[in-house]
Amino acid sequence: MEPLKEMFNHAFYRHFVGVFADADKKFNAAAFLKDVTEKLESRELNARLRHTSLMLGKHLPQNFSKATDILFRAAPSLKTGYTALVLPDFVALYGKAHFDRSMEALKYFTTLGSAEFAIREFLKEDFTRTLKVMHQWAKDDDHHVRRLASEGSRPRLPWSFKLDAIIKDPSLTRGILEALKADESQYVRKSVANHLNDISKDNSSYMLQLVKGWDADHPHTGWIIKHASRTLIKKGNKDSLSVFNFEKNVKVRPDKFKLSHSAIQLGDTLEFAFQLTSEKSTPQKLVIDYVVHYPKSSGERSQKVFKLKEAVLPPGETMRFSKKQQFKDMTTRKHYAGKHVIAIQVNGKILAEKTFELKI
């Protein structure tokens, strides 16, 4: 598989400079192409994106309004998706002194890729003024713009800095979430759920109180509430369990918990199986997960919860489970040799665990 950084490759830049040459007859395509591809192979994905923005800053007019006029003309002919983040990144770099024009630009450019990272630079610069605009965006006709209102104001957006003001007072984005709680676009609903999940990590009581006032029977709103509560449910938070009528006082017996191997090599797949038997006289609504405890380079352990199933277990009955888990290095996780643990978790409670050795 080709590395992600190759989205910004020589073929991309040849197309890119052609578009800008058409958008601005004074644009020096040859000079830009030379500058933007210099030492290209040494740069990773985000470094290529930022370097492209910086080279646009060098070769476009220094007047921000004139520069963004060219960006607007070029945008429809550029590729959409991740590489289109160059446009809002340029605005974040050079537009802070031109608030209204920058907001206009980010509103348009987010429809081509996403301006979620760029808008946070303006939240850092002028939080109140920027958030007021984002509340307006939450009511926009374009689902990309509505999604930007939620995603850009997430307290803990991945690959960006935290918004401490919203972590401290999550009610600051309540108007945005209220406007989007039954949005017709799944793209928007995923963002709202992730925004709420972010809030739950620091202000679980506020988050649960907020969604308890929403119509969980509405299919869009119900989906948001459920997805937003995933972290709390995995932790066995009793209030979040009660929202979905999951059993608070679980009475199940884990049996026949077995691992296929006591030791595996990096890249191998480990199989495990177990069963759960009800020890209660009434049906129990359960969320069944398994947890893998990974050793870190420091010797400490981190854990990741994996979802297995949600089910209602009738009195006295037994459910059987089997699962395969592969252990290989990925961009999001590097494995280290040593003792690992797999644990069975039901409604946030660990009921059984087994250890095995990973060899590298």
Side-chain angles (χ1 to χ4, degrees), residues 48 56 81 167 209 213 254 295 333 346:
R48 293 185 183 195
L56 283 174
I167 290 175
Q209 192 62 39
R333 180 175 298 279
V346 179

Side-chain angles (χ1 to χ4, degrees), residues 73-342:
R73 293 198 296 271
S77 299
L78 293 174
K79 295 179 180 179
T80 58
Y82 188 85
T83 55
L85 268 64
V86 166
L87 303 177
D89 191 55
F90 176 93
V91 175
L93 283 172
Y94 301 106
K96 291 190 180 71
H98 311 274
F99 183 84
D100 291 337
R101 179 63 167 173
S102 293
M103 293 300 103
E104 178 190 4
L106 293 184
K107 181 180 179 180
Y108 173 51
F109 294 151
T110 202
T111 65
L112 307 174
S114 177
E116 65 201 63
F117 302 114
I119 193 63
R120 294 171 85 82
E121 296 297 331
F122 290 88
L123 285 167
K124 183 192 294 184
E125 188 79 8
D126 191 338
F127 181 85
T128 301
R129 191 179 183 190
T130 305
L131 193 63
K132 183 178 179 180
V133 172
M134 297 176 79
H135 275 79
Q136 297 169 355
W137 285 347
K139 301 171 185 176
D140 197 82
D141 290 339
D142 192 300
H143 70 283
H144 292 94
V145 178
R146 298 197 304 275
R147 191 255 185 187
L148 177 60
S150 169
E151 194 71 7
S153 62
R154 281 178 58 180
R156 294 178 173 273
L157 180 67
W159 304 298
S160 183
F161 51 83
K162 296 184 295 183
L163 296 179
D164 292 327
I166 297 174
I167 290 175
K168 183 178 179 180
D169 181 8
S171 68
L172 291 169
T173 60
R174 179 168 183 166
I176 293 172
L177 303 179
E178 291 281 2
L180 303 176
K181 65 186 178 186
D183 200 276
E184 62 185 17
S185 167
Q186 187 180 19
Y187 187 48
V188 176
R189 295 196 300 271
K190 283 184 177 179
S191 176
V192 174
N194 288 333
H195 189 132
L196 287 164
N197 186 53
D198 280 1
I199 291 174
S200 76
K201 295 173 182 177
D202 302 290
N203 300 278
S204 59
S205 297
Y206 169 84
M207 178 273 205
L208 288 169
Q209 192 62 39
L210 175 62
V211 300
K212 281 179 181 178
W214 291 1
D215 181 10
D217 292 330
H218 189 291
H220 294 342
T221 308
W223 184 91
I224 288 173
I225 295 171
K226 183 68 172 296
H227 196 61
S229 303
R230 62 191 184 274
T231 296
L232 294 178
I233 290 174
K234 285 178 179 179
K235 290 181 177 179
N237 179 281
K238 289 188 176 182
D239 289 333
S240 66
L241 292 172
S242 67
V243 171
F244 303 101
N245 297 315
F246 286 112
E247 181 66 43
K248 291 183 180 179
N249 300 307
V250 175
K251 291 186 178 180
V252 294
R253 184 180 70 251
D255 291 313
K256 299 183 179 180
F257 184 17
K258 296 180 180 179
L259 306 184
S260 59
H261 299 86
S262 59
I264 60 172
Q265 295 284 342
L266 183 65
D268 287 350
T269 297
L270 183 72
E271 298 182 42
F272 63 94
F274 64 95
Q275 64 184 39
L276 299 173
T277 301
S278 173
E279 294 186 325
K280 203 163 189 174
S281 59
T282 55
Q284 300 178 80
K285 188 178 180 183
L286 306 177
V287 54
I288 301 108
D289 305 312
Y290 66 97
V291 186
V292 180
H293 296 262
Y294 299 92
K296 296 162 50 173
S297 58
S298 63
E300 299 178 350
R301 288 198 299 181
S302 65
Q303 66 179 50
K304 180 170 176 56
V305 180
F306 297 90
K307 199 167 189 62
L308 266 178
K309 188 176 183 179
E310 292 179 12
V312 175
L313 182 59
E317 291 199 9
T318 298
M319 291 189 297
R320 294 169 178 82
F321 300 87
S322 62
K323 184 68 178 177
K324 296 179 180 179
Q325 182 79 10
Q326 189 173 34
F327 291 82
K328 65 176 183 179
D329 285 343
M330 299 176 289
T331 55
T332 55
R333 180 175 298 279
K334 178 175 175 58
H335 291 78
Y336 297 92
K339 186 175 78 170
H340 287 56
V341 177
I342 288 186

